[in-house]
Structures are given as C-alpha cells and as structure tokens.
Amino acid sequence: MSLTGRTIAVLAAEGYQELELWYPVLRAREAGADVTVVTSEPDGVTSHLGYPLIPVGRHDEPGLFDAVVVAGTVTGEPALSDAQTALLRAASAAAKPVYAVGSAIGVEAAAGARPFASADALPELMSTLVRELSQ
C-alpha cells in the first residue's frame, strides 16, 4: 500500500515528544506522502529535549490535507495554536481522519481524533493511516 499523492499534516506544539512527531512524518514520507509539519508558533517550536522544529510545507489551506496527525508532548496536552485548531476543525468537518498520539489524545473529543495512547502504538497508527488513505 502507498500514500503517493496523499497529503498529511503533522501538528507539533512546544515541548513535542520527538518520537511521536518524527515516526509518522518519516514513515508517511517513506510511503510516498507529502507531509507538512505545522507548529504552534510561526517560527517553530522546541522539543522536550531541546531540539528545534521549523514548520515545513504550506499549511494555510486546511482543505489541502487528506489526514492530520497530532503529536503529543511530555508535559501534558499540547497547546495548539488557533491555526492548528482551525486545521483540526476543518479536517473533522470534512470527515478526514485525525489521529492523536500520547498526550494529544485530549483533542480526541474536539476533533473526532482516533487516539493512539503512546509511542508504542505508532506502528498501529501508521498501519491505520495507510489502510484508510489507500482506499
């Protein structure tokens, strides 16, 4: 199965958990998807270990994305920006899949996200994402 021709937004907030962000980004790209990283701050954010993350890709049109993944943070639920929240609402309104990892599962109720409780569930997240977007 392939994600060629699909676009995926991965949302990150300050203190993001590295594995919960990079696993879906790299695996989706490996499967052929165009992946956009949308940070809560326009100039980027820093992981809980201090690694900087600069936003990548065009994210001003929520309708561009086939799916959204929200990475968790180590310190609690991610503090999403208004732009990230708008993107989640647009995806939910368009019945596009939203996946929440780790502490991001708090967005589940607001966006209808499918929760994946921890980094241990990342392979399952990717299997689900590929299966749902390959249909």
Side-chain angles (χ1 to χ4, degrees):
M1 292 189 195
S2 170
L3 294 177
T4 301
R6 298 299 190 160
T7 56
I8 298 168
V10 179
L11 310 186
E14 189 65 35
Y16 71 91
Q17 203 283 343
E18 292 85 357
L19 189 58
E20 293 176 7
L21 174 103
W22 286 111
Y23 189 93
V25 167
L26 296 174
R27 293 300 306 267
R29 286 180 178 160
E30 179 182 72
D34 180 22
V35 179
T36 296
V37 176
V38 182
T39 60
S40 57
E41 298 296 326
D43 294 330
V45 295
T46 305
S47 76
H48 82 285
L49 292 178
Y51 296 109
L53 178 67
I54 298 169
V56 176
R58 186 174 173 194
H59 60 273
D60 56 346
E61 292 184 39
L64 292 174
F65 302 108
D66 297 305
V68 179
V69 176
V70 185
T73 65
V74 172
T75 58
E77 189 172 319
L80 299 180
S81 67
D82 291 342
Q84 289 173 315
T85 302
L87 196 151
L88 283 172
R89 286 186 184 137
S92 182
K96 295 182 179 179
V98 176
Y99 310 92
V101 184
S103 67
I105 62 174
V107 302
E108 174 187 2
R114 292 174 185 90
F116 292 86
S118 70
D120 292 335
L122 288 168
E124 180 186 352
L125 178 146
M126 289 309 300
S127 295
T128 303
L129 190 146
V130 170
R131 183 177 62 251
E132 291 180 352
L133 293 184
S134 295
Q135 297 178 6

